């Protein structure tokens, strides 16, 4: 039996079909075999990089799901947030003749050519986490989160709390051109339209803690602690960097400057419980099993669902305190 753990939910029929796929996969990468000698399915995974706590949890989930025990030979590449390097990595997977490719696209644009090359080589492509602007005919399926809805949840909470009072807000954006930066901005902006919240500045912190800290230092130099009421950070890591900057400037994060962020990774949740962040919208990084299931279906010749949305929750400090001990990331 090829897959023992993460794909245990797959019906016997699927597992048998999978064995057949595994046997034919030797046309792909060097495949090799698992302990029982079964052929492995070679999957190239083009990860964005390692910019955040969310990304580490996502990488771990993918590596667990695409393990040898589950019948996969994972070829992993992290592109350090460089879109050109990520496209080059995908091209490399095609040249290696992997059986399937999974991509967490750094940015939305620029994918048409390489996705067409994968299609020409008959290599199914699954997108996980982020989306692309290329035609959906060029990939089999996407699994991830509704980033616009995350922005909407964050914006609705902001309006509920501050919408009737003049509120000066700064924004730490995610990586420019990425789906979560685009969609979280749109969801939030639509939700606060017509309220008393005024966006006085918005810059990218590239989803990193250092980026969030540096950009927030700039905002604080320009407007002072007293000139900013609210920070909307597109992820927890940037919020955590901003917290350091606010404290260094003599401010109290969560009080002098209210903070909303997205992800709900462990460090973010701890800062929420501590009162340094005021509200977090979750973005679940545990997409590995779903992505592996989509690869399996694609190689079985099935027609997996085109889009699979994973649900998100929202957390106040009290709600975070209730769940922190049971969370996997
Ligand atoms: O694409 C998901 C985003 O990417 C997460 O919110 C962020 O932390 C990560 O780097």
């Amino acid at each position: 039996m090829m897959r023992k753990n993460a794909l245990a939910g797959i019906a016997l029929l699927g597992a048998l079909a999978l064995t057949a796929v595994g046997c034919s996969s030797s046309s792909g990468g060097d495949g090799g075999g698992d302990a029982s000698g079964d052929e492995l399915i070679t999957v190239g995974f083009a990860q964005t990089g390692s910019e955040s706590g969310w990304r580490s949890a996502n990488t771990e989930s993918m590596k667990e799901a695409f393990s040898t025990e589950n019948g996969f030979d994972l070829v992993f590449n992290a592109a350090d947030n460089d879109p050109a390097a990520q496209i080059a990595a995908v091209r490399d997977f095609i040249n290696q003749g992997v059986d399937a490719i999974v991509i967490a696209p750094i940015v939305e644009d620029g994918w048409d050519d390489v996705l067409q090359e994968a299609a020409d080589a008959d290599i199914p492509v699954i997108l996980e986490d982020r989306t692309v602007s290329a035609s959906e005919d060029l990939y089999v399926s996407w699994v991830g989160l509704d980033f616009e809805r995350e922005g909407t949840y964050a914006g609705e909470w902001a309006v509920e709390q501050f919408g009737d009072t003049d509120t000066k807000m700064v924004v730490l954006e995610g990586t420019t051109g990425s789906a979560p930066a685009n969609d979280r901005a749109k969801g939030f902006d639509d939700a606060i339209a017509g309220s008393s919240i005024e966006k006085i500045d918005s810059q990218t912190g590239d989803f990193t803690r250092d980026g969030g800290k540096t950009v927030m230092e700039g905002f604080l130099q320009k407007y002072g602690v007293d000139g900013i009421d609210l920070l909307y950070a597109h992820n927890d890591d940037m919020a955590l960097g901003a917290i350091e900057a606010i404290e260094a400037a003599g401010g109290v994060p969560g009080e002098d400057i209210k903070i909303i962020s997205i992800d709900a990774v462990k460090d973010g949740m701890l800062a929420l419980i501590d009162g340094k962040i005021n509200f977090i919208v979750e973005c679940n990084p545990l997409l590995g099993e779903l992505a592996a299931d989509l690869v399996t279906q694609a190689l079985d010749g099935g027609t997996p669902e085109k889009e699979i949305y994973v649900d998100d929750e929202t957390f106040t400090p009290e709600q975070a305190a209730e769940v922190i001990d049971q969370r996997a990331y």
Side-chain angles (χ1 to χ4, degrees), residues 48 50-56 81 104-106 128-131 145 147 150 174-175 178-181 184 206-208 234-238 262-263 265 283:
T48 59
S50 52
E51 70 278 3
S52 63
W54 189 98
R55 192 58 56 191
S56 308
N81 264 330
I106 297 168
E128 73 108 27
D129 164 29
R130 300 183 186 177
T131 47
L145 297 306
F147 298 132
E150 292 170 351
T175 301
S178 69
R184 286 172 187 169
D206 221 6
F207 280 132
T208 67
H234 286 183
N235 81 345
D236 287 349
D237 278 78
M238 293 190 294
I262 297 182
D263 272 358
V265 294
C283 179

Side-chain angles (χ1 to χ4, degrees), residues 212-242:
K213 186 176 176 194
T214 306
V215 176
M216 192 67 201
E217 282 167 355
F219 288 156
L220 289 163
Q221 268 162 23
K222 204 159 155 193
Y223 307 103
V225 172
D226 292 343
I228 303 170
D229 303 307
L230 174 65
L231 163 67
Y232 169 40
H234 286 183
N235 81 345
D236 287 349
D237 278 78
M238 293 190 294
L240 292 164

Side-chain angles (χ1 to χ4, degrees), residues 52-256:
S52 63
W54 189 98
R55 192 58 56 191
S56 308
N58 179 249
T59 294
E60 207 178 304
S61 164
M62 294 292 284
K63 286 185 172 172
E64 258 174 50
F66 287 94
S67 65
T68 310
E69 295 73 41
N70 290 337
F72 295 101
D73 175 20
L74 184 68
V75 188
F76 178 79
N77 179 278
D80 202 17
N81 264 330
D82 175 347
Q86 191 177 39
I87 287 172
V90 172
R91 221 163 245 133
D92 237 37
F93 294 151
I94 298 170
N95 292 334
Q96 285 172 45
V98 297
D99 297 313
I101 295 174
V102 182
I103 308 171
I106 297 168
V107 289
E108 295 194 87
D109 294 342
W111 287 99
D112 305 68
D113 290 350
V114 77
L115 290 181
Q116 185 61 58
E117 290 163 36
D120 292 345
D122 259 339
I123 301 175
V125 172
I126 305 294
L127 305 179
E128 73 108 27
D129 164 29
R130 300 183 186 177
T131 47
V132 295
S133 57
S135 158
E136 61 173 43
D137 296 342
L138 293 175
Y139 58 90
V140 175
S141 235
W142 164 85
V143 57
L145 297 306
D146 188 334
F147 298 132
E148 188 172 330
R149 191 176 57 196
E150 292 170 351
T152 305
Y153 286 161
E156 285 174 351
W157 187 83
V159 171
E160 226 177 84
Q161 304 293 315
F162 318 111
D164 294 337
T165 346
D166 284 343
T167 302
K168 308 265 183 227
M169 175 185 70
V170 293
V171 180
L172 289 170
E173 302 161 19
T175 301
T176 305
S178 69
N182 292 341
D183 297 352
R184 286 172 187 169
K186 181 172 187 319
F188 194 95
D189 288 351
D190 287 353
I192 65 164
S195 76
S196 303
I197 301 171
E198 181 197 354
K199 194 197 309 182
I200 57 169
D201 222 326
S202 181
Q203 279 179 46
T204 181
D206 221 6
F207 280 132
T208 67
R209 210 175 275 216
D210 282 355
K213 186 176 176 194
T214 306
V215 176
M216 192 67 201
E217 282 167 355
F219 288 156
L220 289 163
Q221 268 162 23
K222 204 159 155 193
Y223 307 103
V225 172
D226 292 343
I228 303 170
D229 303 307
L230 174 65
L231 163 67
Y232 169 40
H234 286 183
N235 81 345
D236 287 349
D237 278 78
M238 293 190 294
L240 292 164
I243 286 170
E244 288 177 34
I246 295 166
E247 285 174 338
V252 182
E255 286 184 28
D256 295 332

